[in-house]
């Protein structure tokens, strides 16, 4: 016998039985028996959430801090994400306790993918390519090996849009289509594949240029959050120099990327319920590829990748900041490698980046290296 749930309409209004007899007012009412467990399925969950949220702020902060300190790498680090999923107060506490990649050198939440990388040492990642469906997958390295199981971070898919080539970048490896709810940005090239514009579908800081075009509206028709703007924001430009004379040498590339200068997150461990504020100050970071040297004995162009690249390829590059330019990040010495990308297998590539680039920006720059560029080679 099916069990029914009580409804407020039984107390406030009249209804009719199947036989058409009015039931209401002061008349006797007969209703099916209600099982205690099924009476209010959401009430138990609300009670559990309320019980967890009643913890003292000091105790809650201490719990999250202990979990954070005991999980330095993935997969144990998913315990920190689990704490942030308990309820709103736990999430606020986790956000205030967990330090951004710039300070701790770790990626924890999806928001970390758009925050600057570590300053002292590069963050090691790798990219796997699937030629059959033109998809690319970014993983965080879990060991010192060039490739391992990895922690999935981002995915991208390449497709043609008229005379242009576009890359959709997403949090979800199975949702790589324009207008997806998990999309985080895109990359668009010109006809020759020598200039790429990088777009972000949400504004991480001030200074980003808004693009209002037909394709941008189509791409941003569905948003990650209802509070996200419906416009794509231009946050970077990558260009490859022409080589019509076919002179010897690798590709030459330059990048101009909008990067945050000072993080303005104000949440602290002593105040776990104080939410972080978005970064607002930004400036344009100018990068160029580090010039390789010609090796007479090997008869090839060489760069020191410190063992992180094992296969010669025209796609390999190292990016350094231009000297003499505005450098609020302290990296404009033309020696510090900001982004390194290189081939290790037929469809596997390493990607090492550091401050002030984020994982999202580094991944987008590396995507520009894929594909044939006849005008540059």
């Amino acid at each position: 016998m099916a069990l029914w749930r009580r409804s407020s309409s039984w107390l406030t209004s009249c209804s009719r039985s199947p036989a058409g007899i009015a039931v209401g007012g002061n008349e006797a009412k007969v209703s099916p028996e209600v099982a205690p467990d099924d009476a209010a399925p959401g009430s138990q969950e609300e009670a559990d959430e309320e019980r967890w949220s009643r913890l003292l702020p000091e105790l809650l902060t201490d719990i999250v801090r202990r979990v954070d300190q005991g999980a330095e790498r993935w997969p144990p680090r998913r315990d920190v994400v689990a704490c942030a999923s308990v309820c709103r107060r736990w999430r606020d506490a986790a956000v205030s306790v967990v330090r951004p990649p710039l300070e701790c050198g770790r990626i924890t939440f999806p928001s970390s993918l758009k925050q600057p990388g570590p300053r002292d040492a590069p963050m090691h990642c790798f990219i796997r390519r699937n030629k059959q469906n033109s998809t690319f997958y970014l993983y965080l390295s879990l060991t010192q090996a060039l490739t391992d199981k990895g922690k999935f971070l981002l995915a991208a898919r390449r497709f043609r849009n008229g005379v242009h080539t576009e890359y959709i970048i997403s949090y979800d490896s199975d949702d790589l289509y324009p207008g997806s709810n998990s999309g985080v940005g895109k990359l668009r090239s010109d006809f020759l594949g020598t200039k790429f514009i990088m777009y972000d579908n949400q504004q991480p800081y001030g200074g980003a240029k808004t693009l209002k075009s037909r394709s941008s509206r189509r791409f941003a028709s569905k948003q990650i959050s209802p509070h996200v703007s419906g416009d794509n924001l231009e946050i970077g430009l990558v260009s490859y120099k022409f080589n019509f004379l076919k002179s010897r040498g690798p590709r030459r590339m330059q990048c101009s990327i909008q990067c945050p200068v000072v993080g303005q997150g104000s949440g602290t461990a002593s105040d776990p319920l104080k939410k972080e504020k978005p970064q607002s100050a930004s400036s344009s970071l100018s990068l160029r590829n580090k010039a390789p040297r010609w090796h007479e004995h090997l008869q090839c162009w060489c760069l020191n990748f410190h063992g992180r690249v094992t296969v010669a390829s025209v796609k390999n590059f190292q990016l350094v900041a231009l000297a003499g330019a505005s450098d609020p990040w302290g990296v404009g010495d033309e020696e510090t490698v900001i982004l390194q990308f290189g081939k290790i297998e037929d469809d596997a590539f390493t990607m090492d980046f550091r401050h002030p680039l984020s994982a999202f920006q580094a991944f987008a720059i590396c995507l520009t290296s894929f594909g044939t560029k006849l005008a540059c080679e």
Side-chain angles (χ1 to χ4, degrees), residues 115-367:
Q115 296 174 343
R119 188 190 304 271
D120 298 331
M123 184 169 290
H124 293 170
C125 305
F126 62 93
I127 298 174
R128 290 198 178 276
R129 173 181 60 180
N130 188 328
K131 293 181 180 179
Q132 295 182 349
N133 53 13
S134 299
T135 53
F136 308 85
Y137 305 93
L138 175 65
Y139 296 88
L140 176 67
S141 297
L142 303 180
T143 64
Q144 295 299 320
L146 296 180
T147 58
D148 47 37
K149 292 183 178 181
K151 167 67 176 74
F152 172 78
L153 300 179
L154 290 170
R157 184 174 72 90
R158 179 177 58 203
F159 66 97
R160 297 291 299 181
N161 183 11
V163 297
H164 302 279
T165 299
E166 293 188 357
Y167 293 81
I168 297 296
I169 304 176
S170 172
Y171 288 123
D172 189 349
S173 60
D174 296 324
D175 191 10
L176 297 172
Y177 300 94
S180 68
N181 290 326
S182 57
V184 295
K186 76 172 183 178
L187 193 66
R188 188 181 188 186
S189 75
D190 61 358
F191 173 72
L192 296 176
T194 58
K195 290 186 178 180
F196 295 81
I197 301 178
M198 189 187 310
Y199 300 102
D200 192 339
N201 65 358
Q202 56 181 322
Q203 188 167 3
Y205 41 76
K209 181 180 178 181
T210 302
L211 171 70
K212 294 184 179 180
S213 66
R214 186 174 182 179
S215 62
S216 69
R217 290 193 297 270
R218 174 180 59 83
F219 174 75
S221 59
K222 295 181 181 179
Q223 299 297 326
I224 298 175
S225 166
H227 305 291
V228 174
S229 169
D231 298 318
N232 285 326
L233 302 164
E234 182 178 328
I235 61 169
L237 174 66
V238 181
S239 61
Y240 291 81
K241 291 188 176 181
F242 291 102
N243 187 18
F244 289 121
L245 300 179
K246 303 299 180 181
S247 58
R248 285 197 315 173
R251 296 172 177 173
R252 292 179 295 171
M253 60 186 296
Q254 288 187 344
C255 307
S256 178
I257 310 295
Q258 289 291 329
C259 296
V261 176
V262 179
Q264 296 184 354
S266 57
T268 60
S270 60
D271 188 7
L273 303 182
K274 192 172 183 180
K275 296 183 180 180
E276 288 190 350
K277 297 180 181 179
Q279 296 166 330
S280 59
S282 69
S283 184
S284 180
L285 172 67
S286 297
L287 303 173
R288 67 166 181 84
N289 66 304
K290 191 173 183 179
R293 61 181 180 85
W294 178 255
H295 198 291
E296 290 292 344
H297 179 68
L298 300 177
Q299 288 295 297
C300 65
W301 298 94
C302 296
L303 275 173
N304 184 7
F305 289 96
H306 303 283
R308 294 283 297 165
V309 178
T310 58
V311 180
S313 173
V314 70
K315 299 177 178 63
N316 302 345
F317 65 81
Q318 291 179 332
L319 292 183
V320 296
L322 294 176
S326 176
D327 182 26
W329 307 278
V331 295
D333 55 6
E334 294 197 1
E335 291 297 330
T336 302
V337 176
I338 308 298
L339 173 60
Q340 175 176 286
F341 175 76
K343 192 172 185 179
I344 54 176
E345 297 176 8
D346 186 33
D347 290 312
F349 306 80
T350 56
M351 186 194 86
D352 304 337
F353 72 98
R354 65 166 62 201
H355 169 80
L357 289 181
S358 66
F360 165 67
Q361 292 171 330
F363 185 42
I365 294 174
C366 292
L367 289 175

